[in-house]
Amino acid sequence: MTALSQFEQSLAHPIPRQRSRLSGVDSASVNLSTERASVTFKDVVDPGSVLRAIEAACYHAKVNTHEFGIEGMTCTSCVARVEKALKVVPGVIDASVNLATERATVHVAAGTVQTLSLEAAVRNAGYDVQ
C-alpha cells in the first residue's frame, strides 16, 4: 500500500493499524500534482480529528493562525467564555485567550474560517475585538 492510499484509507476506510474510520468522513482523495487532499463529510466533523488522522498518515495539513485583541475581559470566566465561543466556529482547531495580554490566538484549518467569523463569535459572546 502506498503512503497516498494509506492516507486516503486512514480517513475514510478501515486499515489494519486503524480499527475504525474517522466518524463523519464520507470519502477522501489526494491529488499529488497539486499536493492537496479533498475530504467529503457526511456529518459535522471535529476539524482536530481530521488533522490528527492526516498527521497519523504521516502528512501535514496546512493550519492558519489568527491573532487579535479582545476588550472587556475581567476574569478567567471571561477567558473561558471567549475560548468556548471561538472553538464552536466551524473549522477552528484550537483557541486560546490570554487575559493579561487581552489577546486571542486561534488555529484554523486553512481556508475554512474567515477572520470576520471569529470576530463575530467574540462579539456574540459579549466582548469587543481590537
Side-chain angles (χ1 to χ4, degrees), residues 55-125:
E55 290 171 0
C58 299
Y59 290 90
H60 299 284
K62 186 173 179 183
V63 175
N64 292 339
T65 302
H66 297 268
E67 291 188 28
F68 48 89
I70 301 173
E71 294 179 336
M73 298 184 300
T74 59
C75 63
T76 57
S77 293
C78 297
V79 168
R81 188 174 298 116
V82 173
E83 285 180 347
K84 182 178 179 181
L86 289 168
K87 288 178 180 179
V88 298
V89 174
V92 170
I93 299 162
D94 191 34
S96 62
V97 177
N98 186 309
L99 179 61
T101 62
E102 295 183 312
R103 297 202 56 80
T105 303
V106 186
H107 301 284
V108 302
T112 61
V113 180
Q114 296 195 10
T115 304
L116 293 175
S117 299
L118 300 173
E119 291 174 355
V122 171
R123 287 188 181 98
N124 289 338

Side-chain angles (χ1 to χ4, degrees), residues 14-67:
I15 58 174
R17 282 182 254 156
Q18 192 169 352
R19 295 200 160 113
S20 64
R21 67 186 196 175
L22 186 60
S23 177
V25 173
D26 189 36
S27 66
S29 63
V30 175
N31 183 324
L32 287 176
S33 63
T34 62
E35 296 184 344
R36 297 186 69 100
S38 176
V39 182
T40 305
F41 303 102
K42 59 184 172 188
D43 295 317
V44 176
V45 176
D46 169 39
S49 297
V50 175
L51 292 178
R52 284 188 293 278
I54 291 169
E55 290 171 0
C58 299
Y59 290 90
H60 299 284
K62 186 173 179 183
V63 175
N64 292 339
T65 302
H66 297 268
E67 291 188 28

